[in-house]
Amino acid sequence: MTKTRLFRLWLVLGSVFMVLLIIVYWDNVGTAHFYLHTSFPRPRPTPAQGAEKEFTADVDAFLQKLLSGGLKQSAPSGRRTEQPSVPASGRPVLSNAEESVRGYDWSARDAQQGPDPGGRQAERRSVLRGLCANASFVFPTKERSFDDIPNYELNHLIVDDRHGVIYCYVPKVACTNWKRVMIVLSESLLDRGAPYRDPLDIPREYVHNSSTHLTFNKFWRRYGKFSRHLMKIKLKKYTKFLFVRDPFVRLISAFRSKFQLENEEFYRKFAVPMLTMYANRTGLPSSVSEAFSAGLKVSFANFIQYLLDPRTEKLAPFNEHWRQVHRLCHPCQIDYDFVGKLETLDQDAAQLLRLLKVDKLLHFPPSYRNRTASSWEEGWFAPIPLAWRQQLYKLYEADFVLFGYPKPENLLRD
């Protein structure tokens, strides 16, 4: 019996040593510290049955104690990236066209500072959990486990080890400003040797640079075979949040941003194939500026055709700007602690920062007015055939249902 215990102890110590060795070797830029903190109480796991589960529990407990106790004592160095100097005010400078389409509003707007109105968070999370557990509600990827999610599909989960926060970003849902907040919290980006303190001082081009953020899909190269195990520890202990938006309004916003503005990348990669396949255009200009000058633009109907075309995803998964939220953030595999909505952004942002206990450190940047509003849906979808609208709803139905958005009946019937 004594020999068995000694053998298990040596195995535990050996595993811990290997984890630390890999962390030091792979992560030489300083993300080895773990702040095992959460603002929400988490249920304790049930006692494992069997020697193998008991052994894994011992390793988990030992790792958590060691990492939260020993490593937390040293001041974290962070994944800090020095960037070129920027002007004193790094606030984005937007052209008139971009201002018109994106609808940014940098004027201050006071968010409601009161408690969660009517237990809104509890209701959102309850609906989400209930639907994920409901066997009659089915959509692709729902039944797979976290271990079944390919590594490349975890690239939207941004980790802040300093405060114990995981954010799943959804493009076209205020993600630029939430990424700025995560940069300030994690101190992952430096300006003239010092971490950014004001989110709006961070230039937009750095915000969307993938090297700026520590995301789950980077764990493999840092921690090797221990990566999934460490992800699960963080998912259990950290506070996890995401922000969502009415799916059809998000599609309109993505279309306006990527196809009504001169975007070279999206023109070549998406607009040219759409114009060729759905608008019967040939001999298209090589640059977006030439195309726009000639009046060659993708229509919203072309965009919808592209989304509904079964050939589209045979070539590649949807671009992140129009990929379904449940495919970006895996809400049935990850138990989110906070579900924010763009429609209540100011209130939700203020509430979340208070729950994270960082509201004294920073404020969420003044939000842009949602110029792509729900009231616009009828106008945008009026030229779209009814059958297409119904197919499109089926394509995004899981997002509507999971996040409590009403079915747009007015768009789905004659």
Side-chain angles (χ1 to χ4, degrees):
M1 190 71 175
T2 305
K3 288 183 179 180
T4 304
R5 289 182 177 177
L6 285 174
F7 177 69
R8 288 181 57 205
L9 178 61
W10 277 110
L11 279 178
V12 171
L13 292 174
S15 299
V16 171
F17 175 76
M18 288 300 296
V19 169
L20 295 178
L21 183 64
I22 288 173
I23 288 173
V24 171
Y25 180 78
W26 287 96
D27 199 9
N28 58 5
V29 289
T31 56
H33 58 278
F34 285 74
Y35 275 51
L36 301 180
H37 155 79
T38 177
S39 300
F40 300 87
R42 311 293 296 170
R44 299 181 68 86
T46 14
Q49 301 297 322
E52 185 177 349
K53 291 185 178 179
E54 187 178 336
F55 169 71
T56 304
D58 289 344
V59 174
D60 284 352
F62 193 88
L63 274 173
Q64 291 176 22
K65 184 176 180 181
L66 177 68
L67 294 173
S68 61
L71 295 178
K72 193 173 180 179
Q73 301 303 318
S74 58
S77 57
R79 295 177 57 259
R80 300 182 179 181
T81 306
E82 183 73 59
Q83 297 290 0
S85 296
V86 294
S89 174
R91 298 168 191 264
V93 178
L94 301 171
S95 67
N96 290 336
E98 190 168 2
E99 171 69 24
S100 173
V101 172
R102 294 191 187 279
Y104 284 97
D105 172 22
W106 301 112
S107 61
R109 291 200 288 162
D110 293 331
Q112 294 184 15
Q113 298 296 319
D116 181 8
R120 188 161 56 200
Q121 271 306 308
E123 182 181 354
R124 289 175 185 173
R125 293 171 64 213
S126 174
V127 167
L128 186 55
R129 288 174 178 172
L131 288 165
C132 287
N134 187 342
S136 63
F137 178 60
V138 179
F139 58 88
T141 75
K142 178 189 174 184
E143 299 302 328
R144 65 181 178 179
S145 69
F146 179 75
D147 286 328
D148 293 330
I149 302 173
N151 201 52
Y152 67 86
E153 289 188 20
L154 298 173
N155 62 329
H156 279 242
L157 292 155
I158 299 176
V159 182
D160 167 30
D161 285 318
R162 294 175 58 83
H163 299 86
V165 180
I166 296 173
Y167 163 50
C168 184
Y169 73 90
V170 179
K172 310 313 302 174
V173 191
C175 77
T176 299
N177 281 340
W178 278 117
K179 284 182 177 180
R180 286 188 170 113
V181 167
M182 293 297 286
I183 289 171
V184 171
L185 292 179
S186 63
E187 299 186 0
S188 60
L189 195 63
L190 303 181
D191 176 31
R192 292 183 285 270
Y196 283 95
R197 298 301 179 195
D198 183 350
L200 279 181
D201 284 341
I202 305 172
R204 187 181 183 87
E205 60 268 26
Y206 300 156
V207 174
H208 294 296
N209 187 326
S210 61
S211 64
T212 302
H213 305 280
L214 172 61
T215 50
F216 266 10
N217 67 312
K218 296 179 181 177
F219 275 38
W220 177 254
R221 76 164 187 248
R222 293 173 178 274
Y223 309 118
K225 65 180 181 180
F226 293 98
S227 57
R228 288 282 168 151
H229 191 64
L230 294 178
M231 287 181 206
K232 290 176 182 177
I233 290 177
K234 295 190 180 195
L235 287 172
K236 185 187 299 183
K237 305 300 288 187
Y238 284 13
T239 300
K240 304 162 292 296
F241 76 94
L242 79 163
F243 272 74
V244 298
R245 183 181 195 177
D246 180 289
F248 277 6
V249 180
R250 179 172 169 247
L251 284 182
I252 297 170
S253 179
F255 173 78
R256 298 174 70 207
S257 174
K258 300 306 175 186
F259 299 109
Q260 289 194 330
L261 297 176
E262 292 189 7
N263 187 309
E264 200 69 52
E265 177 190 356
F266 277 76
Y267 171 73
R268 292 180 180 177
K269 190 172 182 179
F270 300 105
V272 168
M274 288 183 201
L275 288 168
T276 302
M277 296 179 68
Y278 311 120
N280 296 318
R281 297 285 187 174
T282 58
L284 292 164
S286 59
S287 73
V288 66
S289 58
E290 292 177 288
F292 274 38
S293 297
L296 297 171
K297 294 183 179 181
V298 168
S299 70
F300 189 57
N302 296 153
F303 179 54
I304 301 303
Q305 283 178 284
Y306 167 81
L307 296 175
L308 297 178
D309 192 332
R311 295 170 293 181
T312 297
E313 288 214 277
K314 288 182 180 178
L315 297 175
F318 277 173
N319 178 271
E320 62 178 8
H321 290 84
W322 46 83
R323 194 180 309 165
Q324 297 91 332
V325 175
H326 70 269
R327 294 172 61 189
L328 294 172
C329 295
H330 319 291
C332 288
Q333 289 78 29
I334 296 173
D335 185 13
Y336 285 94
D337 300 293
F338 192 96
V339 179
K341 291 190 175 184
L342 192 69
E343 293 81 2
T344 51
L345 175 61
D346 292 337
Q347 300 163 14
D348 290 350
Q351 181 188 358
L352 176 60
L353 294 180
R354 287 196 304 273
L355 291 171
L356 295 177
K357 297 181 171 59
V358 297
D359 53 314
K360 305 300 182 186
L361 299 178
L362 54 78
H363 296 286
F364 187 75
S367 61
Y368 62 83
R369 284 190 168 86
N370 183 14
R371 301 196 184 193
T372 306
S374 298
S375 58
W376 290 22
E377 282 186 329
E378 289 195 26
W380 277 89
F381 281 96
I384 307 301
L386 176 61
W388 292 11
R389 293 183 231 160
Q390 293 170 339
Q391 291 176 53
L392 191 69
Y393 175 76
K394 294 303 294 183
L395 196 59
Y396 289 87
E397 182 177 26
D399 282 359
F400 275 99
V401 177
L402 287 170
F403 301 110
Y405 287 100
K407 187 175 181 179
E409 298 286 359
N410 56 322
L411 300 179
L412 304 177
R413 60 172 183 262
D414 289 323

